[in-house]
């Protein structure tokens, strides 16, 4: 990475430290869980559980990247990101407890999220998988939930989580732009094909894990899959 990229990483790390928030102090857990009347609580629980799986996967990937030691200049940020993701996961776990819904077993999604470790391009591919595909989609899901569910407590949680996720995406763009540029053309093409395939596999897994709500969600979800990949491909 060049000097400018390193300075941007230092700025992001400083922001992460400055904007750290506390799970108990900075979220008002007395806010009501009150989704819109036509939204079943079971659907809310499924969606939040999918976000929870994503947070756990991101925490594991941040730890893995740091321990690999391929990007010493990014270690501080990756350590802070791991803590962020763990805090996000704890917030979702508590929300599900308050919601009164048990955590569904999302076996299809969990398996697909592990594909990030097999991305072409080594560290560059893993950054694309975690920080560009996974993190940016989480932000989009926050927007969809705010518009379609409008639960006061969940919105308050996302008011804290979303700035963290935006910072993680910014990190991914800085690092990926440097690392992907150094890949040969064949590997870049392989990474592009892999990203397309994995994006759609992950989306299908999310739909599969919706169980009895799959039929209800199928048409609007597939529309979102198409729109989402168009958005991701532009970013990549």
């Amino acid at each position: 990475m060049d000097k400018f990229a390193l300075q941007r990483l230092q700025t992001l790390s400083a922001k992460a430290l400055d904007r750290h928030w506390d799970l108990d102090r900075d979220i008002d857990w007395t806010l009501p869980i009150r989704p819109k009347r036509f939204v079943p609580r079971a659907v809310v629980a499924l969606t939040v559980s999918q976000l929870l799986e994503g947070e756990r996967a991101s925490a594991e990937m941040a730890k893995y990247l740091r321990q690999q030691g391929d990007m010493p200049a990014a270690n501080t940020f990756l350590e802070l990101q791991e803590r962020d993701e763990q805090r996000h996961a704890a917030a979702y776990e508590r929300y599900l407890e308050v919601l009164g819904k048990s955590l569904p077993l999302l076996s299809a999604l969990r398996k697909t999220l592990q594909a990030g470790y097999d991305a072409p391009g080594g560290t560059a591919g893993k950054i694309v998988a975690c920080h560009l595909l996974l993190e940016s989609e989480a932000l989009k899901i926050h927007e969809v939930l705010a518009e379609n569910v409008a639960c006061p407590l969940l919105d308050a949680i996302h008011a804290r989580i979303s700035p963290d996720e935006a910072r993680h995406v910014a990190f991914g763009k800085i690092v990926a732009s440097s690392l992907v540029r150094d890949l040969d053309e064949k590997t870049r093409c392989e990474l592009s094909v892999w990203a397309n395939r994995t994006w759609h596999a992950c989306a299908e897994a999310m739909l599969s894990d919706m169980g009895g709500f799959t039929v209800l969600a199928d048409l609007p979800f597939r529309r979102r899959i198409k729109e989402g990949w168009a958005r991701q491909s532009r970013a990549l």
Side-chain angles (χ1 to χ4, degrees):
M1 285 182 284
D2 59 29
K3 182 178 179 180
F4 180 62
L6 292 174
Q7 289 174 340
R8 293 176 69 191
L9 288 186
Q10 291 173 351
T11 299
L12 285 177
S13 296
K15 286 182 178 179
L17 286 168
D18 184 58
R19 298 174 188 180
H20 173 85
W21 53 274
D22 182 82
L23 186 66
D24 296 308
R25 184 187 64 239
D26 295 320
I27 294 176
D28 183 358
W29 292 97
T30 67
L31 287 169
I33 289 187
R34 193 173 58 233
K36 289 181 178 179
R37 283 184 296 176
F38 61 85
V39 180
R41 288 195 170 205
V43 171
V44 179
L46 276 166
T47 306
V48 172
S49 297
Q50 290 171 339
L51 288 168
L52 172 56
E53 286 295 336
E55 297 293 349
R56 288 171 172 168
S58 294
E60 291 169 3
M61 180 62 82
K63 181 178 180 180
Y64 174 86
L65 289 169
R66 180 168 53 83
Q67 291 180 340
Q68 287 296 104
D70 294 335
M71 301 183 295
N75 281 350
T76 297
F77 184 90
L78 289 169
E79 183 176 0
L80 292 169
Q81 181 191 350
E82 183 184 354
R83 295 179 192 173
D84 285 345
E85 311 293 16
Q86 290 170 344
R87 189 169 61 254
H88 301 170
Y92 286 137
E93 287 171 353
R94 187 181 296 190
Y95 178 84
L96 289 169
E97 290 175 7
V98 178
L99 185 64
K101 295 291 183 181
S102 58
L103 178 64
L105 179 62
L106 302 175
S107 54
L109 179 60
R110 185 175 298 130
K111 180 179 179 180
T112 307
L113 289 173
Q114 293 300 310
Y117 292 92
D118 301 322
T123 299
K126 294 175 179 63
I127 292 290
V128 168
C130 180
H131 294 83
L132 299 187
L133 296 182
L134 183 57
E135 297 275 6
S136 63
E137 184 59 16
L139 281 170
K140 187 62 180 179
I141 293 174
H142 295 180
E143 294 177 11
V144 172
L145 288 171
E147 180 180 351
N148 296 293
V149 176
C151 172
L153 179 54
L154 188 57
D155 287 349
I157 291 171
H158 285 156
R160 292 293 178 180
I161 291 179
S162 292
D164 293 344
E165 302 290 32
R167 193 166 54 247
H168 302 163
V169 173
F171 167 86
K173 290 179 178 178
I174 294 168
V175 176
S177 65
S178 174
L179 296 182
V180 172
R181 186 172 57 242
D182 293 337
L183 298 176
D184 59 66
E185 184 176 354
K186 179 176 180 292
T187 305
R188 286 199 299 270
C189 289
E190 289 173 351
L191 179 56
S192 178
V193 171
W194 175 90
N196 187 336
R197 184 176 66 247
T198 302
W199 166 266
H200 286 88
C202 190
E204 291 289 345
M206 292 176 71
L207 188 60
S208 171
D209 279 331
M210 294 194 78
F213 295 101
T214 299
V215 175
L216 179 66
D218 187 79
L219 187 59
F221 201 86
R222 291 192 185 284
R223 191 181 301 118
R224 275 205 61 230
I225 292 172
K226 183 178 180 180
E227 293 171 352
W229 178 247
R231 186 180 64 254
Q232 293 287 2
S233 61
R234 287 194 298 271
L236 294 173

